[in-house]
Amino acid sequence: MKTLYVSDLDGTLMQPDARLSPRTVALLNGAVADGKLFTVATARTPATVAGILRDVDMRLPAVVMTGAALWNPRDGRYSRECHFDPRAAERLVDIYRETGTPTFLFTLDGDMIDIYHIGGRLNEIQRQFVAEREESPYKRFHLAADGADTLPADLSHVILLYTMLPDAKAFATYGRTRDVPGIRAQYYHDIYGPEVGILEAFSDRATKALAVRALADSVGADRVVCFGDNINDLPMMGVADLAVAVENALPEVKEAADIVIGPNTADSVAEFIAADSGE
C-alpha cells in the first residue's frame, strides 16, 4: 500500500522553539530514503517553511497557507493556487476598512508573494511579523510609512488575508467575514496565546483537505495519514485514512483523531512515520 504522510508544523512536527529537532530530521530523512512519501501542511508561507525544512529531504510539494497553494521546496515553484474571486476580495477589503481592522493582504502572481496592508496602522505583533520576514526572498512587503492602506492594482491575484488582533476584535470581525460568498474565514488561537486572535480568509477552494487529496492523487497514494494539533488541521484529518493527533493537541482535535500519539516535544510524528508499516 502506498501511503502519503502529511504533518502540520507548529505544535505537531516542530519543537516549541519553531525548529525541527535533529532526531526528527534524521528520522524523516531515513523514512524518505526508504521510499516513504512525506510532506507538510501548514498555515505558514515559504518564507519560513524554507528555513524550517532546509535539512529535510523534501521530495514532494508542501501544502502552504492552509491549502491556498502547493509549494515545491526544490525549485520554489507554486501550483494549485486558489485565488479569490475579485468580487469577494473587494467585499472583504470593504469590511476590514469599515471595521478598522488592520490586516495583511497577500497576492500570489507567478512564484512571488506580495504583501499589502489595509485597515489602519500595524499593531506591535504585526510589526514584529514584518521585521522577521522583510528580508525574505520569497515575499515582498508594500507598506506605507504613514500607515495608509496599500493595495495591488487589481484584486485578481489575492490568495490570503491574515491578521493578528486582540481576541475580541478578531472574533467580531470574523462574524462579519464568515458569510461572504466564496470565502472561507477562520478564527483561532495559536502561537501568540489566547489573548490574540488569528483571523484569516481564503478562497473557499483553499483547504488543507482539498490540497492533501489533490497531492495524494498526483502521487498515486492509496492511503493518507495526517498529523495535527489545532483547529485548522481538522479538515485534512477528516479526509485522511488515519487521523493522528499529538498529545498536546486541542481536546477537539484529539476527539476527532483515530489515534493519539506522544507530544510534539518527543519527536512523536517522525517516530510514527519511521515505524509505520503502511498497512
Side-chain angles (χ1 to χ4, degrees):
M1 184 173 288
K2 197 172 184 180
T3 299
L4 172 64
Y5 300 92
V6 185
S7 179
D8 172 55
L9 285 177
D10 291 271
T12 303
L13 189 67
M14 295 195 304
Q15 298 293 310
D17 63 358
R19 298 175 186 271
L20 299 182
S21 75
R23 177 165 171 72
T24 280
V25 170
L27 286 168
L28 291 177
N29 285 341
V32 171
D34 287 341
K36 291 186 175 180
L37 302 174
F38 168 76
T39 193
V40 300
T42 177
R44 291 174 176 265
T45 72
T48 53
V49 171
I52 292 166
L53 298 178
R54 64 181 176 273
D55 295 324
V56 179
D57 184 10
M58 293 293 296
R59 302 184 185 183
L60 297 179
V63 177
V64 294
M65 295 178 283
T66 318
L70 299 177
W71 178 74
N72 192 330
R74 292 199 161 196
D75 60 14
R77 303 299 299 272
Y78 288 89
S79 59
R80 198 190 170 274
E81 302 97 330
C82 298
H83 295 109
F84 283 52
D85 181 307
R87 293 166 297 182
E90 184 176 357
R91 178 61 187 136
L92 282 179
V93 168
D94 288 342
I95 290 172
Y96 285 115
R97 283 173 162 170
E98 290 166 7
T99 57
T101 303
T103 303
F104 294 109
L105 183 147
F106 292 62
T107 66
L108 177 59
D109 186 7
D111 293 312
M112 177 59 69
I113 290 176
D114 287 280
I115 303 178
Y116 303 83
H117 195 265
I118 57 174
R121 290 183 176 276
L122 279 71
N123 60 39
E124 181 56 37
I125 295 176
Q126 292 171 346
R127 286 193 290 271
Q128 180 182 346
F129 175 87
V130 173
E132 292 173 352
R133 294 160 174 82
E134 58 186 346
E135 300 300 324
S136 169
Y138 300 100
K139 58 178 57 172
R140 297 178 296 217
F141 285 91
H142 305 265
L143 305 175
D146 62 359
D149 285 3
T150 57
L151 279 174
D154 69 78
L155 299 177
S156 62
H157 294 288
V158 176
I159 199 163
L160 165 66
L161 280 88
Y162 172 80
T163 190
M164 314 81 101
L165 303 163
D167 187 55
K169 177 68 171 177
F171 183 72
T173 306
Y174 170 68
R176 292 282 305 275
T177 61
R178 62 185 175 186
D179 295 325
V180 174
I183 292 301
R184 182 176 64 82
Q186 289 190 160
Y187 154 79
Y188 61 98
H189 301 110
D190 205 351
I191 59 174
Y192 302 107
E195 68 279 3
V196 176
I198 307 297
L199 182 60
E200 298 173 325
F202 304 88
S203 160
D204 58 7
R205 299 178 295 109
T207 71
K208 284 186 178 182
L210 291 175
V212 166
R213 290 311 318 176
L215 183 58
D217 290 344
S218 72
V219 299
D222 45 21
R223 176 176 178 252
V224 176
V225 179
C226 290
F227 305 84
D229 76 306
N230 211 330
I231 297 299
N232 64 354
D233 299 317
L234 289 174
M236 73 170 180
M237 292 172 69
V239 301
D241 297 289
L242 182 67
V244 184
V246 286
E247 178 58 39
N248 53 288
L250 294 177
E252 51 266 55
V253 177
K254 290 195 281 189
E255 182 177 350
D258 296 309
I259 61 172
V260 178
I261 59 175
N264 64 318
T265 53
D267 304 307
S268 302
V269 170
E271 287 188 349
F272 183 97
I273 295 171
D276 187 50
S277 65
E279 299 178 356

